[in-house]
Amino acid sequence: MIEDFIKIEREEKDVNLMSPLTWAYIGDCVYELYIRTELINKTNLKPHKLHIESIKYVKAKAQADLLKKMMAELTDEEKDIVRRGRNTENHHLPKNSNIQEYMYSTAFEALIGYLYLTKRYQRLKEILKKSF
């Protein structure tokens, strides 16, 4: 299991005090690793093509669209996490998306990161499976 070599040492109460941008920071990594792993498992693409294909999933518009589709299925707590992620002031300007897409993609990444950091792996898995 991944938790055998990547150990999360923060308690849930500590994670709750983190900035949603911190959740999004780790959520971006977790989501990209998931997509890359799925592509390697399900295709025989070469590295450059793997990269091109992964961009279709990890770009801001795709993440924003995915989040909007699954909003009705989220718990109230998850919706609150999404709201916090979406509303966090971010001084980074998106390169290939508009501000709204970027805000929703940050919210999606925040949700993924929060579930990961709080070790809610079953729920994380359920959400990730809907993305591929």
Side-chain angles (χ1 to χ4, degrees), residues 27-37 51 54 58 63:
D28 174 59
C29 179
V30 170
Y31 185 62
E32 184 146 0
L33 179 60
Y34 174 78
I35 293 300
R36 288 180 179 206
T37 303
H51 175 70
S54 72
V58 301
Q63 290 179 351

Side-chain angles (χ1 to χ4, degrees), residues 71-88:
M71 279 298 289
E73 302 171 37
L74 298 179
T75 67
D76 288 343
E77 180 187 21
E78 291 165 346
K79 287 177 184 175
D80 188 53
I81 291 160
V82 165
R83 181 192 55 75
R84 287 180 63 192
R86 185 187 66 231
N87 293 339
T88 298

Side-chain angles (χ1 to χ4, degrees), residues 57-107:
Y57 294 91
V58 301
K59 66 183 178 182
K61 180 174 178 16
Q63 290 179 351
D65 291 346
L66 180 61
L67 178 61
K68 288 175 186 176
K69 279 191 240 178
M70 66 172 58
M71 279 298 289
E73 302 171 37
L74 298 179
T75 67
D76 288 343
E77 180 187 21
E78 291 165 346
K79 287 177 184 175
D80 188 53
I81 291 160
V82 165
R83 181 192 55 75
R84 287 180 63 192
R86 185 187 66 231
N87 293 339
T88 298
E89 188 173 343
N90 188 345
H91 300 288
H92 180 79
L93 296 174
K95 286 189 274 184
N96 298 311
S97 68
N98 63 47
I99 297 290
Q100 185 178 23
E101 288 171 346
Y102 192 75
M103 289 170 59
Y104 275 88
S105 69
T106 300

